[in-house]
Amino acid sequence: MKIGILSRNSKLYSTRRLIEACEQRGHQAVVIDALHCYMNINSDQPSIHSKGESLDDFYAIIPRIGASVTFYGCAVLRQFEMMGVFPVNESVAITRSRDKLRSMQLLSRRKVGMPITGFASKPDDIKDLLDMVGGAPVVIKLLEGTQGIGVVLAETRKAAESVIEAFLGLRVNIMVQEFIKEADGADIRCFVIGDRVIAAMKRQGAEGEFRSNLHRGGSASLVRITPEERRTAVEAAKVMGLRVAGVDLLRSNRGPLVMEVNSSPGLEGIESATGKDVAGMIIEYIEKNAKPQRTRTRGKG
Ligand code: ADP
Ligand code: MG
């Protein structure tokens, strides 16, 4: 099969591993840089070109769309869907999961456990917003943040008010969240493929750090997850409509709480923490499930 990997950089660990896994299993891998593609959108025969050539005959596409290229990356993926190519994750599901507010609303609608979370743009009553989420300590997050940057722990009410005021001055959207102290600076990354968690790792923040991000000095290790954690992760991926997802959970006194659902989860951390061939499992999933014209939405909004 000819499998396209929608990625901007063929040297990234995840992209390299996916190429390797395709070739090991006897498939042809082609890395496609979405930003270099141009498309012909018409009702007869939608097409995609890159470097003067038509991108035809793909059996499946593995989207690895970075946050900064979501808009155009998803448009290119949608075009492949209109051509009947099977996407590992559909464009609508990726767009959905990139919007944190929308994701949390969808998860709460399906009663998936999550930290009590308030959203605000220009709250006219910061005190009431804080009361709404149970008061200090709270975690305040920039909606657009990644890798732990823009995530602040405010231990007292005064600190929380000042941080919210500061963010307000910057005109950014924020999330104010109940602080899950008992998570103890750790979270669990569950790697979901289809309806199974195929690998899980625990990320522990550096000493004195409540954020477990590896980019902030956290370390990853193999972890056994409970059946409830397994169910929660699979349900969260399903609610988002993602076939492959990285679901981040916090271990709380009231069970697993979903913090984030990632549509392009990295492979390096999870493969080295668990020793599993996650890239190979993604290709295996394609072998078993991909069929032309089987996209559920075929690019529909
Ligand atoms: P980012 O998208 O930047 O990674 P996260 O929302 O994942 O932001 O937060 C970064 C880290 O901070 C998490 O991995 C977790 O360890 C910690 N954290 C985030 N929210 C909470 C919370 N409500 N309670 C306790 N720890 C949290
Ligand atoms: Mg995170």
Side-chain angles (χ1 to χ4, degrees):
M1 302 191 290
K2 184 165 149 191
I3 297 175
I5 303 166
L6 211 51
S7 163
R8 296 230 54 214
N9 186 347
S10 52
K11 297 196 174 64
L12 292 177
Y13 178 92
S14 301
T15 314
R16 276 194 289 115
R17 285 285 301 124
L18 287 164
I19 299 171
E20 223 169 76
C22 279
E23 290 172 353
Q24 262 168 16
R25 303 177 72 95
H27 307 300
Q28 183 193 353
V30 180
V31 177
I32 303 165
D33 180 346
L35 292 190
H36 288 171
C37 293
Y38 39 99
M39 302 174 274
N40 183 347
I41 300 167
N42 65 60
S43 44
D44 292 339
Q45 203 171 34
S47 63
I48 308 179
H49 284 215
S50 178
K51 300 192 180 105
E53 281 181 30
S54 181
L55 301 180
D56 298 320
D57 308 324
F58 282 92
Y59 193 74
I61 299 286
I62 306 175
R64 303 284 317 173
I65 299 170
S68 59
V69 292
T70 302
F71 174 75
Y72 198 72
C74 283
V76 172
L77 181 60
R78 198 180 308 124
Q79 187 83 353
F80 276 113
E81 290 166 7
M82 285 159 54
M83 291 159 61
V85 183
F86 180 86
V88 163
N89 278 329
E90 295 184 17
S91 56
V92 277
I94 297 172
T95 312
R96 195 185 281 141
S97 69
R98 288 283 156 87
D99 180 338
K100 281 195 190 179
L101 173 48
R102 186 174 175 193
S103 305
M104 297 297 265
Q105 287 173 321
L106 289 171
L107 292 169
S108 76
R109 195 176 67 170
R110 300 284 185 88
K111 308 270 183 268
V112 175
M114 64 177 68
I116 300 171
T117 305
F119 280 90
S121 177
K122 277 185 253 175
D124 53 11
D125 191 336
I126 293 176
K127 289 189 168 60
D128 188 42
L129 171 65
L130 281 169
D131 287 338
M132 213 170 81
V133 299
V138 287
V139 176
I140 302 162
K141 302 182 186 183
L142 285 180
L143 218 51
E144 308 298 328
T146 56
Q147 304 180 344
I149 295 169
V151 179
V152 183
L153 170 61
E155 307 207 45
T156 65
R157 201 173 173 97
K158 271 272 150 278
E161 287 173 13
S162 318
V163 173
I164 295 171
E165 269 164 19
F167 280 161
L168 273 181
L170 296 172
R171 293 170 197 279
V172 286
N173 295 328
I174 54 165
M175 239 159 100
V176 183
Q177 205 164 60
E178 159 195 23
F179 175 52
I180 309 299
K181 188 169 189 298
E182 63 271 24
D184 210 14
D187 73 351
I188 311 285
R189 159 61 60 97
C190 298
F191 204 106
V192 178
I193 301 183
D195 53 7
R196 289 198 317 130
V197 175
I198 55 92
M201 65 175 166
K202 178 174 175 168
R203 294 178 298 202
Q204 180 72 55
E207 187 70 33
E209 171 62 68
F210 82 102
R211 297 167 300 177
S212 61
N213 301 69
L214 303 183
H215 288 97
R216 305 268 75 73
S219 55
S221 61
L222 184 68
V223 70
R224 276 187 80 88
I225 58 169
T226 66
E228 192 189 8
E229 288 166 342
R230 215 167 264 286
R231 271 198 308 277
T232 304
V234 170
E235 176 68 9
K238 198 168 142 218
V239 169
M240 303 312 301
L242 294 168
R243 302 183 179 104
V244 169
V247 181
D248 295 340
L249 302 175
L250 288 172
R251 283 184 162 164
S252 84
N253 293 336
R254 57 176 196 277
L257 304 178
V258 175
M259 215 171 22
E260 214 171 5
V261 185
N262 194 321
S263 59
S264 291
L267 300 184
E268 188 165 14
I270 195 86
E271 287 196 337
S272 53
T274 63
K276 290 191 177 165
D277 175 14
V278 177
M281 290 189 237
I282 294 175
I283 308 305
E284 192 187 346
Y285 179 82
I286 295 175
E287 291 166 355
K288 290 194 176 136
N289 296 279
K291 293 223 171 55
Q293 313 293 343
R294 244 191 68 178
T295 308
R296 268 176 297 180
T297 52
R298 292 200 67 195
K300 264 194 290 179

